[in-house]
Amino acid sequence: MPSVCGGDLHFGEVTNPARPREVVGRFARSGRAEVELAVAAGKQAFPAWRDLGAGKRAKCMRAAAEVADGLVDDLASLLTAEVGKTLGESRGDAGGAARLLREFADLASAADRETDLSSDPASYAATDVLVRRVALGPVVVISPWNTPIHLAFNAIAPNLIAGNTVVVKPPEVAPLALTALVAALAAVLPEGVLTVVPGEGAVAGAALTSHPDIRGVFFTGGISTGREVLKSASETIKKVAMELGGNDAAVVLDSAVINEDMVRELVVGSMGCAGQICFNVKRIYVHRKHFDAFVELFVDLAGHIVVGEGTDASVDIGPLATEEGRNRAVRLIEQARAAGADVRVAGTYADSARVDEGHYVLPTIITGIAPDDELILTEQFCPVIPIIAFDSDDDAIAAANGTEFGLASSVWSTDVEHAMRVARQIESGSTFINVHRLGASVSSTPFGGVKHSGLGRTHGEYSLLSCTEEHAIVRFADPARDLPGIARWNHLRSSSSTS
Ligand code: NDP
């Protein structure tokens, strides 16, 4: 049984969502003392790591990626035991560490970039201006349980190449695989550059986000936690990047052609990872002309989904990660049914599913639901999808924009011009056309939310903007030259020059 421990710590237990009586491992509930140690180590390591230069940091990151490669299978098994997702999904999550370390190592020259902005001699003051990208200092990376490794490294890797030292706070629901990986990689990096502090969000997390020596907070999680983190970081004015929840709308226009390929995309987009991905499709708006055909095909295709234990190769989606998540899914379904909605349950259980024990929910399709139902206005994070009819583009756009969320969205049509017209009016960080699932946003594309879904953008060079500050070094070519606002001081002369 893996455990992460030390000193007089208290421990938490991680149980398997497919067999909740099975304890997968234990983790230390770190307190302020452990946070102080990790931050002090990061602070001490920072100047040397920053001054090493991005080229040498990239070399260290590639060495760490080699180590991460060798751990993927073990980590994937552990992730499936912690959060219930399929082994394939867990491999994608665990494999993200090495991929992201290499991807950001390749951005070394961008991380160290110095831009010459020497001004036009004819402008008000001829100057030489050098804008340097500089590191922030020690930062904290806080990750959620649904994709703990990939999302942690989505922030760890750009921070490392930028020259920051990183303290990682894993989620309590799934701390084991991420903690084990960070500990293994920390051993091949200079001491203090990367540390991990498992523990409760309200204790270890809050101590990190409020710590005066932490200069950046990279948070991925829910909106309400995000608000707490923002408040906590505000006292010491830290740089904050936030990837928060989503309630993504998919809009199927009257100019769409409804066929198996397009509906399958939306089934995968809404049901993948049992609906527990930030940019899963969470509401589907379908033009009334296509509504019945779309719903029938969706229910038919979702009917082939197999639900069971994530280790079972025949399974498409595993149990929900927590009992709380399952109870919420059941409540949302019952609430909609009680309000008169049409609830259709699809899919089958694999033999591996211990239905009465695990946190299982079959794919559920809900129509005839009120626009202000909780299922429409909040993030369900489960395989329960509302499908709603609309009559005009304006209605669909208003509905898609009608929540506090703005992470991603999609528009579906064979008429690209029509899809683009609608896409331009949707308030979200990404709008996909005729696709909406993992892989739709790649490293060359900025990713993040508008409205309450986040602050800042990740992926490639966009991540570097959050992990660095711009330092402008300005040298006057002609210090004697007048600058606006300085003429009134011209009467100041040294005594020797006036005598
Ligand atoms: P939470 O917001 O509950 O937790 C996220 C992380 O924050 C956990 O590590 C948690 O620790 C920690 N935390 C909790 N309280 C505090 C605090 N006061 N100070 C500092 N840290 C704290 O989210 P979930 O783990 O439940 O993840 C699901 C949410 O994440 C969904 O809303 C989902 O949409 C969102 N998400 C967003 C993504 C994006 O890219 N936009 C990607 C993936 C998920 P602990 O577990 O110990 O409480």
Side-chain angles (χ1 to χ4, degrees):
M1 183 187 298
S3 73
V4 179
C5 57
D8 299 325
L9 291 169
H10 299 289
F11 295 91
E13 277 186 349
V14 179
T15 54
N16 184 337
R19 325 150 166 249
R21 282 194 287 264
E22 178 185 307
V23 176
V24 179
R26 298 192 308 152
F27 65 98
R29 290 193 197 278
S30 310
R32 189 162 279 281
E34 289 72 34
V35 166
E36 288 300 338
L37 281 175
V39 176
K43 189 177 175 186
Q44 195 175 355
F46 172 65
W49 181 244
R50 175 196 59 198
D51 296 343
L52 198 58
K56 289 193 176 140
R57 290 195 294 271
K59 219 170 151 192
C60 295
M61 288 166 68
R62 289 202 175 91
E66 294 282 314
V67 174
D69 277 338
L71 296 173
V72 169
D73 287 341
D74 288 347
L75 293 171
S77 300
L78 193 48
L79 280 170
T80 290
E82 288 185 281
V83 286
K85 57 190 177 183
T86 64
L87 273 177
E89 289 164 341
S90 293
R91 267 195 209 99
D93 188 353
R99 187 175 61 70
L100 286 158
L101 285 166
R102 291 195 178 99
E103 203 172 291
F104 281 95
D106 287 347
L107 287 181
S109 57
D112 260 359
R113 184 176 295 152
E114 297 195 344
T115 310
D116 183 355
L117 289 184
S118 298
S119 65
D120 172 359
S123 71
Y124 78 87
T127 54
D128 289 334
V129 180
L130 188 70
V131 179
R132 304 170 58 227
R133 266 191 173 160
V134 295
L136 305 175
V139 302
V140 59
V141 168
I142 300 179
S143 166
W145 51 259
N146 61 343
T147 321
I149 291 182
H150 184 278
L151 290 169
F153 279 82
N154 199 36
I156 293 170
N159 273 297
L160 290 181
I161 197 65
N164 299 325
T165 54
V166 181
V167 183
V168 182
K169 208 303 276 172
E172 268 182 287
V173 172
L176 302 177
L178 176 58
T179 304
L181 174 59
V182 174
L185 302 193
V188 297
L189 293 168
E191 193 176 340
V193 164
L194 182 64
T195 52
V196 59
V197 182
E200 292 169 80
V203 180
L208 284 162
T209 57
S210 60
H211 198 291
D213 291 335
I214 289 286
R215 294 314 312 145
V217 175
F218 293 80
F219 174 80
T220 308
I223 292 176
S224 60
T225 318
R227 289 193 185 101
E228 290 303 312
V229 169
L230 261 184
K231 275 187 225 155
S232 165
S234 68
E235 192 63 36
T236 44
I237 318 283
K238 301 183 197 314
K239 191 147 182 172
V240 177
M242 298 207 147
E243 296 282 323
L244 303 178
N247 187 1
D248 293 12
V251 176
V252 180
L253 299 174
D254 59 348
S255 53
V257 172
I258 310 299
N259 59 36
E260 239 179 71
D261 286 345
M262 85 69 94
V263 179
R264 187 186 301 112
E265 277 291 324
L266 280 160
V267 172
V268 174
S270 54
M271 301 295 168
C273 216
Q276 301 170 114
I277 299 170
C278 55
F279 73 112
N280 269 124
V281 176
K282 301 210 172 97
R283 304 170 280 156
I284 306 180
Y285 294 92
V286 181
H287 192 277
R288 198 172 300 280
K289 138 178 163 190
H290 297 308
F291 187 75
D292 291 341
F294 180 90
V295 172
E296 285 316 309
L297 195 46
F298 194 100
V299 172
D300 179 9
L301 296 181
H304 297 276
I305 292 176
V306 179
V307 180
E309 205 163 329
T311 48
D312 176 344
S314 72
V315 158
D316 299 308
I317 63 176
L320 294 187
T322 64
E323 185 178 5
E324 188 191 354
R326 180 183 183 278
N327 291 345
R328 179 154 188 267
V330 171
R331 181 172 62 74
L332 289 172
I333 295 168
E334 289 314 318
Q335 216 164 270
R337 202 192 309 269
D342 186 14
V343 175
R344 295 168 77 172
V345 179
T348 51
Y349 283 117
D351 292 343
S352 62
R354 301 180 185 193
V355 180
D356 295 336
E357 286 181 32
H359 307 318
Y360 292 108
V361 176
L362 284 172
T364 304
I365 298 99
I366 299 193
T367 54
I369 191 168
D372 59 351
D373 193 282
E374 190 181 344
L375 181 59
I376 303 286
L377 295 182
T378 64
E379 183 184 29
Q380 63 270 50
F381 237 50
C382 60
V384 178
I385 187 78
I387 308 182
I388 307 108
F390 69 86
D391 293 300
S392 71
D393 289 358
D394 286 349
D395 289 350
I397 292 160
N401 292 342
T403 73
E404 65 179 343
F405 298 87
L407 188 59
S409 56
S410 57
V411 180
W412 300 74
S413 172
T414 46
D415 177 344
V416 176
E417 293 298 311
H418 187 190
M420 287 298 289
R421 265 198 319 278
V422 172
R424 284 177 193 281
Q425 296 178 74
I426 295 187
E427 297 163 352
S428 65
S430 311
T431 299
F432 308 113
I433 293 181
N434 296 331
V435 67
H436 193 151
R437 59 175 157 127
L438 281 182
S441 181
V442 291
S443 56
S444 54
T445 320
F447 185 79
V450 300
K451 301 200 289 193
H452 295 191
S453 285
L455 294 173
R457 292 291 178 270
T458 62
H459 287 175
E461 280 213 39
Y462 297 98
S463 295
L464 294 180
L465 299 174
S466 306
C467 302
T468 55
E469 294 287 13
E470 266 79 43
H471 177 201
I473 301 181
V474 183
R475 186 181 68 82
F476 275 112
D478 175 9
R481 187 169 168 168
D482 276 356
L483 287 175
I486 210 162
R488 66 184 294 273
W489 297 101
N490 281 349
H491 62 286
L492 304 187
R493 295 277 183 272
S494 80
S495 320
S496 56
S497 69
T498 51
S499 60

